[in-house]
Amino acid sequence: MKVLVPVKRVIDYNVKPRVKMDGSGVDLANVKMSMNPFDEIAVEEAIRLKEKGVVTEIVAVSVGEAKAQETLRTALAMGADRAILVVSEGEVEPLGVAKLLAKIVEEEAPGLVILGKQAIDDDSNQTGQMLAALTGRPQGTFASKVEVEGDSVKVTREVDGGLETVSLKTPAIITTDLRLNEPRYASLPNIMKAKSKPLAQKTPADYGVDVTPRLKTLKVSEPPKRVAGVKVADVDELVAKLKAMGVAA
Amino acid sequence: MSVLVLVEHDNGSVKDATLAAVTAAGKLGEVHALVAGSGAQGAADAAAKIAGVAKVLLADDPAYANALPENVAPLVVDLMAGYDAFVAPATANGKNIAPRVAALLDVMQISEILSVESADTFTRPTYAGNAIATVQSSDAKKVITVRGTAFEKAAKEGGSAAVEAVAGKGDSGLSSFVGAEISKSERPELTSAKIIVSGGRALQNSENFHTIIEPLADKLGAAVGASRAAVDAGYVPNDYQVGQTGKIVAPEVYIAVGISGAIQHLAGMKDSKTIIAINKDEDAPIFQVADIGLVGDLFKVVPELAGKL
């Protein structure tokens, strides 16, 4: 079975985002960029399925600017077999990404598509569900466990009340939650090897997909700032504060 | 404008997340509520009483029992022929279904809105809430999820909407429900609690969560939450997690115990009215957002606090 793993290049998890003074967006100049953490989990899951012998080939895909190549090389270094980069200099919304991925799914016919449940930049949490809709496939979102069983896949999902398990007919779409696995680091030899793995470059036009955004960002602003309050010296003072607030009797 | 709201329910009653979605939807136009479930008359009757709901659509079918998106999304898409907007609460369930509906309608969804600026313009959080974007949609129909903490809850009583039965295509045959492990607790639910006591990695293990955090929570009638680190370490189940990708909460009082305050955690709780932080590291970032801070060893301070309340 082939697995498709879409990955996104985003601001690094440890960087605090700064809103640009002119309100046009978040300042990404000279900021460390990395693979979206949920997508790393997706790559890792695909590799584990390959190690178990369930999966035969892992194809990593990214939609974004030319620099997203680096993100794909990371996926290749972790263990993906080949990569496809759909180059688009402007921002592509989840709907546009899902449409491109649907075309790639048509060409590649993967048994599973595994992707992050959300990207930590736009926090949309849409692409996997949209891809499932456009390809008419079932979706196992927010996965914390994935078990392939013949022509179906059992997915345990993190939901508001705890965990839920669903069985999906393959081919299926899975989006990853935090606790599905802990992604590996690429070893130096594998990073070197990744440089010679195939990486195909495409454009949205190659797939006949219009990625014109439907949402116009009018402005981006900082949220209201909280200011640090007071420090209390001991528990008695804290108890007095709580009583004054009416929280404790 | 007419708006279809997805009701979050357990077949018998309506969950609170629905109420904020009704308020947000009411800013766009006339609100109709969709209850998709199995044996869900009770939930439909409860939805009919919500102030601001003009009509309830009840799709009662075993195929809708577990809110499988493969079954529910086509139902919503058919109904959307008669509506201008689809609004769902940004719960695990709403987030699962709404994008599937949006793609089938060829609409770019607007996720987790914080405000309705006009019929086509909304604000929403990005970058873990560190950047608030004002976005204008050019789609003819809107698909929206609503952050529950950003809108007042509509009153549960006061409405008297008619309930109309609707039918969809039923089971898609693509997926089936296997089972669920739902945490049971006598405590208030995290997303609607007035007070929350949250623990972090500093608790060290699951037992300390029970012996340190829970007695304080019980004294205050509070819900118990956790940081990602505590959940990853297995101290508490996943549904305790507060943060960018966990639950978003805004209680009257949020007590962070042994939580350093990573931006991903702050994203989930910084709209709390009063934040109290207890941490032994006086330079922990949590103190930069806390209204009241206490520097100290949680293993001494928290039991003392619980004892004195």
Side-chain angles (χ1 to χ4, degrees):
Chain A
M1 179 167 71
K2 190 192 285 184
V3 175
L4 197 70
V5 187
V7 296
K8 186 177 185 183
R9 180 177 186 265
V10 298
I11 191 167
D12 187 80
Y13 185 78
N14 290 307
V15 175
K16 183 167 164 53
R18 307 246 173 242
V19 173
K20 286 189 208 165
M21 295 293 279
D22 65 0
S24 63
V26 166
D27 193 357
L28 296 176
N30 302 315
V31 167
K32 187 182 178 200
M33 303 292 279
S34 298
M35 189 190 298
N36 179 43
F38 290 96
D39 301 345
E40 280 187 334
I41 295 171
V43 174
E44 176 67 31
E45 194 63 17
I47 297 168
R48 291 188 188 190
L49 288 171
K50 194 177 174 193
E51 286 167 350
K52 279 185 201 155
V54 176
V55 162
T56 49
E57 190 187 22
I58 301 169
V59 183
V61 186
S62 193
V63 177
E65 53 181 330
K67 281 180 181 166
Q69 267 196 52
E70 296 164 15
T71 313
L72 286 169
R73 291 289 171 205
T74 305
L76 293 169
M78 286 173 74
D81 296 294
R82 60 187 170 91
I84 302 168
L85 174 61
V86 183
V87 183
S88 173
E89 289 307 322
E91 190 196 332
V92 184
E93 293 171 338
L95 182 64
V97 174
K99 286 180 180 177
L100 288 167
L101 293 176
K103 293 286 183 186
I104 296 172
V105 164
E106 214 172 278
E107 278 183 16
E108 299 279 346
L112 288 177
V113 181
I114 309 179
L115 65 170
K117 75 165 180 178
Q118 81 190 62
I120 62 165
D121 51 2
D122 63 28
D123 283 334
S124 291
N125 194 334
Q126 299 177 11
T127 305
Q129 297 88 317
M130 287 182 157
L131 175 61
L134 297 176
T135 54
R137 295 180 173 199
Q139 66 191 52
T141 53
F142 327 145
S144 67
K145 195 173 177 191
V146 173
E147 299 158 277
V148 178
E149 300 171 335
D151 60 357
S152 70
V153 56
K154 211 160 94 179
V155 179
T156 302
R157 310 176 51 235
E158 295 202 359
V159 295
D160 291 335
L163 297 170
E164 172 187 298
T165 305
V166 291
S167 175
L168 313 174
K169 281 201 175 140
T170 51
I173 314 295
I174 292 168
T175 77
T176 61
D177 217 316
L178 291 169
R179 282 161 285 273
L180 180 58
N181 61 50
E182 215 170 299
R184 70 194 62 194
Y185 291 102
S187 68
L188 192 59
N190 284 342
I191 292 170
M192 299 310 290
K193 240 189 274 171
K195 289 182 181 166
S196 56
K197 285 186 179 175
L199 191 156
Q201 291 226 18
K202 300 277 189 178
T203 64
D206 292 337
Y207 296 104
V209 172
D210 178 5
V211 294
T212 309
R214 307 287 185 84
L215 299 183
K216 188 173 161 193
T217 300
L218 303 179
K219 76 171 179 213
V220 176
S221 53
E222 282 194 13
K225 269 213 166 61
R226 285 194 86 101
V227 287
V230 295
K231 285 222 172 86
V232 292
D234 54 29
V235 170
D236 289 331
E237 208 181 317
L238 180 54
V239 170
K241 289 257 183 206
L242 287 171
K243 283 184 177 164
M245 284 161 51
V247 171
Chain B
M1 193 190 258
S2 60
V3 188
L4 187 64
V5 171
L6 182 71
V7 174
E8 181 105 1
H9 65 91
D10 60 5
N11 289 316
S13 62
V14 169
K15 298 207 174 152
D16 273 9
T18 309
L19 305 174
V22 167
T23 301
K27 294 179 190 288
L28 293 170
E30 183 173 285
V31 178
H32 292 186
L34 171 64
V35 175
S38 179
Q41 186 69 44
D45 291 342
K49 289 190 192 134
I50 299 172
V53 172
K55 189 162 136 189
V56 174
L57 306 181
L58 171 61
D60 209 318
D61 188 311
Y64 306 134
N66 296 295
L68 292 170
E70 296 79 5
N71 298 349
V72 176
L75 166 73
V76 175
V77 168
D78 286 348
L79 292 171
M80 280 304 289
Y83 293 92
D84 303 301
F86 176 64
V87 171
T91 53
N93 188 40
K95 289 172 181 175
N96 199 23
I97 292 171
R100 193 163 179 119
V101 170
L104 293 171
L105 294 171
D106 192 26
V107 168
M108 175 57 202
Q109 175 182 305
I110 308 144
S111 292
E112 301 233 7
I113 62 163
L114 302 172
S115 70
V116 176
E117 302 293 311
S118 71
D120 63 3
T121 304
F122 310 87
T123 62
R124 59 173 305 264
T126 60
Y127 290 88
N130 285 291
I132 308 300
T134 304
V135 296
Q136 184 176 32
S137 165
S138 60
D139 286 314
K141 291 184 195 275
K142 316 294 181 221
V143 175
I144 293 164
T145 62
V146 173
R147 178 164 285 194
T149 55
F151 292 87
E152 293 285 323
K153 287 178 189 156
K156 273 187 172 172
E157 303 284 335
S160 56
V163 178
E164 183 185 302
V166 293
K169 297 187 188 86
D171 192 351
S172 68
L174 291 171
S175 60
S176 58
F177 179 80
V178 177
E181 284 172 53
I182 301 302
S183 300
K184 286 200 175 65
S185 171
E186 298 297 309
R187 294 194 187 84
E189 204 192 357
L190 254 182
T191 49
S192 51
K194 288 202 161 56
I195 305 176
I196 294 172
V197 181
S198 265
R201 188 178 1 222
L203 268 299
Q204 294 174 353
N205 57 46
S206 173
E207 202 190 322
N208 287 339
F209 239 94
H210 293 305
T211 57
I212 306 278
I213 297 292
E214 290 179 3
L216 177 60
D218 291 341
K219 269 281 167 70
L220 294 166
V224 175
S227 69
R228 178 193 169 183
V231 177
D232 281 0
Y235 304 168
V236 286
N238 65 281
D239 50 291
Y240 282 48
Q241 185 179 327
V242 171
Q244 180 184 16
T245 65
K247 293 208 167 84
I248 308 292
V249 300
E252 297 284 313
V253 181
Y254 187 90
I255 306 181
V257 178
I259 292 177
S260 62
I263 59 169
Q264 291 81 11
H265 185 75
L266 300 184
M269 46 63 85
K270 67 184 158 72
D271 293 326
S272 305
K273 201 164 165 210
T274 300
I275 296 173
I276 299 173
I278 298 173
N279 203 298
K280 69 176 176 191
D281 174 10
E282 63 177 322
D283 297 322
I286 190 80
F287 287 122
Q288 291 164 20
V289 300
D291 300 285
I292 304 173
L294 176 57
V295 179
D297 178 4
L298 72 92
F299 293 101
K300 281 185 200 144
V301 168
V302 177
E304 187 187 343
L305 176 60
K308 285 180 174 168
L309 287 172

